[in-house]
Amino acid sequence: MHRYSLCVSLYLFFLFLVTISHGTICSSHDLINQTCEKCANQSVILSYSLCSTALPVVPVSHSTNLEGLAIIAMELALENVTNTLATVEKLLGDESLDKYVMGCLTDCLELYSDAIWRIVDSVDVFLSGNYEVSRIWMSSVMEAASTCQQGFEEKGEVSPLTEENYNLFQLCGIALCIIHLSTPVTANAIPF
Ligand SMILES: *[C@@H]1O[C@H](CO)[C@@H](O)[C@H](O)[C@H]1NC(C)=O
Ligand SMILES: *[C@@H]1O[C@H](CO)[C@@H](O)[C@H](O)[C@H]1NC(C)=O
Ligand SMILES: *[C@@H]1O[C@H](CO)[C@@H](O)[C@H](O)[C@H]1NC(C)=O
């Protein structure tokens, strides 16, 4: 079993309970689409279709509010990065890969191991009401996904993690946007 899996699973279960306690029965599926539309409108890099298909996967997202959706987006990012770490570890065991690619994968392993704890911290500070710091952590995870991807591309290698990096980047961007929308003063534009 992957060494992070148990901890992360327990944490996700805890988040599930937190999300329920944040939920209200009056919001609906509409909230997801509206929120995704707002985020895609405000930022050219965010994908409406990824957002509107990813968020409803967590069943409780149908009966939650904006804060609940922010937690769900972070939860999805956490699941994503945990699965990706397992993929990276598997790839590192493939001896047919060239040295340069191996080096990049090792960098990604480090970036993503850090990212797990940054997302966990991000949720914690979000729950304590410090949305500003939560956004800083989530944007640092977006940067980690870009850095991982750029490592391969710098030498013209095809990244074996292109899809994973894209998904993580999007999920963190969506989380960042929803955290921003949850922030009481939302007059200023999202910072990307
Ligand atoms: C929300 O968007 C999804 C996919 O874009 C669509 O299938 C669904 O019908 C929409 N739901 C509502 C309530 O508009
Ligand atoms: C998004 O932008 C479109 C086109 O400019 C607009 O019609 C729509 O109302 C916007 N949606 C939201 C939720 O702001
Ligand atoms: C990452 O998240 C995306 C969007 O929710 C999902 O389609 C994809 O399967 C996830 N990938 C992994 C490796 O968990």
Side-chain angles (χ1 to χ4, degrees), residues 99-130:
K99 263 218 173 87
Y100 182 74
V101 172
M102 283 294 195
C104 295
L105 285 170
T106 306
D107 291 344
C108 296
L109 185 77
E110 205 168 295
L111 287 163
Y112 279 169
S113 309
D114 275 0
I116 287 189
W117 305 115
R118 287 184 187 199
I119 299 171
V120 169
D121 281 347
S122 176
V123 174
D124 287 346
V125 294
F126 182 80
L127 291 174
S128 64
N130 196 343

Coordinates of all heavy atoms in Angstrom, one line a residue, residues 99-130:
K99 N 18.0 8.7 -18.2 CA 18.4 9.3 -17.0 C 17.8 10.7 -16.7 O 17.4 11.0 -15.6 CB 19.9 9.5 -17.0 CG 20.7 8.4 -16.3 CD 22.0 9.0 -15.6 CE 22.7 8.0 -14.8 NZ 23.7 7.2 -15.5
Y100 N 17.7 11.4 -17.8 CA 17.1 12.8 -17.7 C 15.6 12.7 -17.2 O 15.3 13.4 -16.3 CB 17.2 13.6 -19.0 CG 16.7 15.0 -18.9 CD1 17.4 15.9 -18.2 CD2 15.4 15.3 -19.4 CE1 16.9 17.2 -18.0 CE2 14.9 16.6 -19.2 CZ 15.7 17.5 -18.5 OH 15.2 18.8 -18.3
V101 N 14.9 11.8 -17.8 CA 13.5 11.7 -17.4 C 13.4 11.2 -16.0 O 12.5 11.7 -15.2 CB 12.7 10.7 -18.4 CG1 11.4 10.3 -17.9 CG2 12.7 11.3 -19.8
M102 N 14.3 10.3 -15.6 CA 14.3 9.8 -14.2 C 14.5 11.0 -13.2 O 13.9 11.1 -12.2 CB 15.4 8.8 -14.0 CG 15.1 7.4 -14.5 SD 13.8 6.7 -13.6 CE 13.9 5.0 -14.1
G103 N 15.5 11.9 -13.6 CA 15.8 13.1 -12.8 C 14.5 13.9 -12.7 O 14.2 14.4 -11.5
C104 N 13.8 14.1 -13.8 CA 12.6 15.0 -13.7 C 11.6 14.3 -12.8 O 10.9 15.0 -12.0 CB 12.0 15.1 -15.1 SG 13.0 16.0 -16.3
L105 N 11.4 13.0 -12.9 CA 10.4 12.3 -12.1 C 10.8 12.4 -10.6 O 9.9 12.6 -9.8 CB 10.4 10.8 -12.5 CG 9.6 10.5 -13.8 CD1 9.8 9.1 -14.2 CD2 8.1 10.8 -13.7
T106 N 12.1 12.4 -10.3 CA 12.5 12.5 -8.9 C 12.1 13.9 -8.4 O 11.7 14.0 -7.3 CB 14.0 12.3 -8.8 OG1 14.3 11.0 -9.4 CG2 14.5 12.3 -7.4
D107 N 12.3 14.9 -9.3 CA 11.9 16.3 -8.9 C 10.4 16.4 -8.6 O 10.0 17.0 -7.7 CB 12.3 17.3 -10.0 CG 13.8 17.5 -10.1 OD1 14.5 17.1 -9.2 OD2 14.2 18.0 -11.2
C108 N 9.7 15.7 -9.5 CA 8.2 15.8 -9.4 C 7.8 15.0 -8.1 O 6.8 15.5 -7.4 CB 7.5 15.1 -10.6 SG 7.8 16.0 -12.1
L109 N 8.5 14.0 -7.8 CA 8.2 13.2 -6.5 C 8.3 14.1 -5.3 O 7.4 14.2 -4.5 CB 9.1 12.0 -6.4 CG 8.9 11.0 -5.3 CD1 7.7 10.1 -5.6 CD2 10.1 10.2 -5.0
E110 N 9.4 14.9 -5.3 CA 9.6 15.8 -4.2 C 8.6 16.9 -4.2 O 8.0 17.2 -3.1 CB 11.0 16.4 -4.4 CG 11.7 16.9 -3.1 CD 13.1 17.2 -3.4 OE1 13.9 16.2 -3.7 OE2 13.5 18.3 -3.3
L111 N 8.3 17.5 -5.4 CA 7.3 18.6 -5.5 C 5.9 18.1 -5.0 O 5.2 18.8 -4.2 CB 7.2 19.1 -6.9 CG 8.3 19.9 -7.5 CD1 8.2 19.9 -9.0 CD2 8.3 21.3 -6.9
Y112 N 5.6 16.9 -5.4 CA 4.2 16.4 -5.0 C 4.1 15.9 -3.6 O 3.1 16.0 -3.0 CB 3.8 15.3 -6.0 CG 3.3 15.9 -7.3 CD1 3.1 15.1 -8.5 CD2 3.0 17.2 -7.4 CE1 2.6 15.7 -9.6 CE2 2.5 17.8 -8.6 CZ 2.3 17.0 -9.7 OH 1.8 17.5 -10.8
S113 N 5.3 15.4 -3.0 CA 5.2 15.1 -1.6 C 5.0 16.3 -0.8 O 4.2 16.3 0.2 CB 6.5 14.4 -1.2 OG 6.9 13.4 -2.0
D114 N 5.6 17.4 -1.1 CA 5.4 18.7 -0.5 C 3.9 19.1 -0.7 O 3.3 19.7 0.2 CB 6.3 19.8 -1.1 CG 7.6 19.8 -0.4 OD1 7.9 19.0 0.5 OD2 8.4 20.7 -0.9
A115 N 3.5 18.9 -1.9 CA 2.1 19.5 -2.3 C 1.1 18.9 -1.4 O 0.1 19.5 -1.0 CB 1.8 19.2 -3.7
I116 N 1.2 17.6 -1.0 CA 0.2 16.9 -0.2 C 0.0 17.7 1.1 O -1.1 18.1 1.5 CB 0.6 15.5 0.2 CG1 0.5 14.6 -1.0 CG2 -0.2 14.9 1.4 CD1 0.6 13.1 -0.8
W117 N 1.2 18.1 1.7 CA 1.1 18.8 3.0 C 0.6 20.2 2.8 O 0.0 20.8 3.7 CB 2.4 18.6 3.8 CG 2.7 17.2 3.9 CD1 3.8 16.5 3.4 CD2 1.9 16.2 4.6 NE1 3.7 15.2 3.6 CE2 2.6 14.9 4.4 CE3 0.7 16.2 5.3 CZ2 2.0 13.7 4.8 CZ3 0.2 15.0 5.8 CH2 0.9 13.8 5.5
R118 N 0.9 20.8 1.7 CA 0.5 22.2 1.5 C -1.1 22.2 1.3 O -1.7 23.1 1.8 CB 1.1 22.7 0.2 CG 2.5 23.1 0.5 CD 3.2 23.7 -0.7 NE 4.6 23.8 -0.4 CZ 5.4 24.6 -1.0 NH1 5.0 25.4 -2.0 NH2 6.7 24.7 -0.6
I119 N -1.6 21.2 0.7 CA -3.1 21.1 0.5 C -3.7 20.9 1.8 O -4.7 21.6 2.2 CB -3.5 20.1 -0.6 CG1 -2.9 20.4 -1.9 CG2 -5.0 20.0 -0.7 CD1 -3.1 19.3 -3.0
V120 N -3.2 20.0 2.6 CA -3.7 19.7 4.0 C -3.7 21.0 4.8 O -4.6 21.4 5.4 CB -2.9 18.6 4.7 CG1 -3.3 18.5 6.1 CG2 -3.2 17.3 4.0
D121 N -2.5 21.7 4.7 CA -2.4 23.0 5.5 C -3.4 24.0 4.9 O -4.0 24.8 5.7 CB -1.0 23.6 5.3 CG 0.0 22.9 6.2 OD1 -0.4 22.2 7.1 OD2 1.2 23.2 6.0
S122 N -3.6 24.0 3.6 CA -4.5 25.0 3.0 C -5.9 24.8 3.5 O -6.6 25.7 3.9 CB -4.5 24.8 1.5 OG -5.4 25.6 0.9
V123 N -6.3 23.5 3.6 CA -7.7 23.2 4.2 C -7.8 23.7 5.6 O -8.7 24.3 6.0 CB -8.0 21.7 4.1 CG1 -9.3 21.4 4.8 CG2 -8.1 21.2 2.7
D124 N -6.7 23.4 6.4 CA -6.7 23.8 7.8 C -6.9 25.3 8.0 O -7.7 25.7 8.8 CB -5.5 23.2 8.5 CG -5.5 21.7 8.7 OD1 -6.6 21.1 8.6 OD2 -4.5 21.1 9.0
V125 N -6.1 26.0 7.3 CA -6.2 27.5 7.4 C -7.5 28.0 6.9 O -8.1 29.0 7.4 CB -5.0 28.3 6.9 CG1 -3.7 28.0 7.6 CG2 -4.8 28.1 5.4
F126 N -8.0 27.4 5.8 CA -9.3 27.8 5.3 C -10.4 27.6 6.4 O -11.2 28.5 6.6 CB -9.7 26.9 4.1 CG -11.0 27.3 3.4 CD1 -11.1 28.4 2.6 CD2 -12.1 26.6 3.7 CE1 -12.3 28.8 2.0 CE2 -13.3 26.9 3.1 CZ -13.4 28.0 2.3
L127 N -10.3 26.4 7.1 CA -11.3 26.1 8.1 C -11.2 27.1 9.3 O -12.2 27.4 9.9 CB -11.2 24.7 8.6 CG -11.6 23.6 7.6 CD1 -11.3 22.2 8.1 CD2 -13.1 23.7 7.2
S128 N -10.0 27.6 9.5 CA -9.9 28.6 10.6 C -10.2 30.0 10.1 O -10.0 31.0 10.8 CB -8.6 28.4 11.3 OG -7.5 28.8 10.4
G129 N -10.6 30.1 8.8 CA -11.0 31.4 8.3 C -9.9 32.3 7.7 O -10.1 33.4 7.2
N130 N -8.7 31.7 7.6 CA -7.6 32.5 6.9 C -7.5 32.2 5.4 O -6.7 31.4 5.0 CB -6.3 32.2 7.6 CG -5.2 33.2 7.3 OD1 -5.3 33.9 6.4 ND2 -4.2 33.2 8.1

